Amino acid sequence: GGAVDFDQVSHAYDPARPILQDVDLHIPAGHTLAIVGPSGAGKSTLARLLFRFYDVGGGAIRIDGQDIRDVTQDSLRQAIGVVPQDTVLFNDSIGYNIAYGKPGATEEQIWQALRMAQLEDFVRRLPMGLNTQVGERGLKLSGGEKQRIAIARVLLKNPPILILDEATSSLDTHAERLILDALNLISQKRTTLAIAHRLSTIVHAERILVLDQGRVVEQGSHEELLAAG
Ligand code: ADP
Ligand code: ADP
């Protein structure tokens, strides 16, 4: 499962200034759609509507045919994993940060998620491994390391739907490569909505949607968009 449909979706923060207008999109279960467009185009707003961070102004969003207004926040949280632009970590252990919201997770499952997020060696080298504190009183992590923690969290949660929000925007080339590899891994077989400024930083995606000033201006495969110029 996990098919996502936006049907004539609109949204405004201020009624006098529409942000999204008549957005139609369809992501078949297990496919990836990349949303590209300039800053301010409405990409993050669109993604946040999917997990009901904001309520839809007009039109409807459906997951597997069901209007998300008829789904509890709890089941939406179960169904959707987010790798945000800036991962906020708790002032607690690495293990707690990864297993947060999933208290039944075993240590072995956490290490497996860390391995897939390419963080296993890093965490093994820490003085107390999974129990090393991060945040104000503990270890300072780089942007890339934080993002890989967010990826490990999503891997452990294993949701059918994934939102990747400009996940590599603040990284150097090496860190970006690591994250892109990890993101490609987690987006396989999951319905994924991947947001990017530039085409070069998106994960493999079956389809690309170009958003400008809240409207869909182009939609197609990578090849189709290149052919169209
Ligand atoms: P993008 O992700 O493409 O940069 P956003 O969805 O973040 O675009 O923003 C689209 C527009 O909506 C921008 O003009 C932005 O200033 C505005 N906006 C975003 N979030 C809010 C908010 N919470 N309240 C008011 N305006 C917002
Ligand atoms: P969980 O803790 O249920 O596994 P997440 O950690 O992915 O889920 O996110 C928890 C909640 O935090 C989301 O359901 C959403 O409401 C909010 N959230 C996550 N990422 C973002 C984001 N990039 N922008 C705004 N809110 C977010």
Side-chain angles (χ1 to χ4, degrees):
V4 169
D5 278 289
F6 278 53
D7 181 10
Q8 292 283 296
V9 168
S10 304
H11 184 74
Y13 297 102
D14 162 3
R17 189 171 157 254
I19 300 293
L20 292 175
Q21 297 184 70
D22 306 325
V23 171
D24 281 321
L25 66 84
H26 171 65
I27 319 177
H31 281 227
T32 296
L33 175 74
I35 311 237
V36 194
S39 178
K43 304 182 296 296
S44 295
T45 303
L46 189 158
R48 287 170 177 191
L49 289 176
L50 180 57
F51 56 88
R52 265 177 56 196
F53 189 75
Y54 308 121
D55 276 315
V56 190
I61 299 176
R62 296 188 186 85
I63 295 178
D64 290 330
Q66 187 175 28
D67 195 310
I68 60 169
R69 281 172 289 215
D70 301 330
V71 180
T72 63
Q73 277 289 0
D74 233 39
S75 0
L76 265 187
R77 287 178 72 110
Q78 295 299 317
I80 302 172
V82 183
V83 180
Q85 248 173 61
D86 292 300
T87 300
V88 180
L89 296 177
F90 304 103
N91 289 315
D92 209 309
S93 68
I94 297 240
Y96 178 85
N97 270 286
I98 291 168
Y100 164 75
K102 205 162 181 301
T106 65
E107 211 171 286
E108 193 178 318
Q109 289 170 325
I110 298 176
W111 280 111
Q112 193 187 350
L114 279 170
R115 180 164 50 76
M116 291 174 81
Q118 312 210 38
L119 263 180
E120 184 188 39
D121 293 344
F122 172 78
V123 175
R124 279 202 195 283
R125 284 197 304 270
L126 297 176
M128 291 181 291
L130 282 178
N131 291 323
T132 301
Q133 292 267 321
V134 295
E136 290 305 311
R137 286 167 292 111
L139 186 73
K140 292 269 181 290
L141 295 171
S142 73
E145 285 152 3
K146 280 195 214 168
Q147 243 156 13
R148 277 180 281 156
I149 299 252
I151 290 169
R153 198 184 272 174
V154 163
L155 282 164
L156 196 64
K157 179 172 165 178
N158 198 20
I161 301 172
L162 203 58
I163 294 173
L164 311 177
D165 192 353
E166 302 260 27
T168 66
S169 56
S170 61
L171 306 173
D172 63 46
T173 321
H174 174 67
E176 182 171 79
R177 192 67 256 157
L178 284 178
I179 302 281
L180 277 177
D181 288 348
L183 291 177
N184 273 317
L185 194 68
I186 64 172
S187 63
Q188 271 168 35
K189 291 180 281 179
R190 286 193 180 85
T191 310
T192 305
L193 198 157
I195 294 175
H197 274 304
R198 290 173 290 130
L199 271 177
S200 61
T201 60
I202 58 174
V203 295
H204 106 95
E206 281 90 3
R207 289 181 75 76
I208 296 162
L209 181 152
V210 184
L211 198 68
D212 194 13
Q213 297 186 42
R215 289 182 182 278
V216 178
V217 292
E218 261 185 292
Q219 197 170 174
S221 67
H222 214 128
E223 293 71 29
E224 284 164 355
L225 290 195
L226 284 176

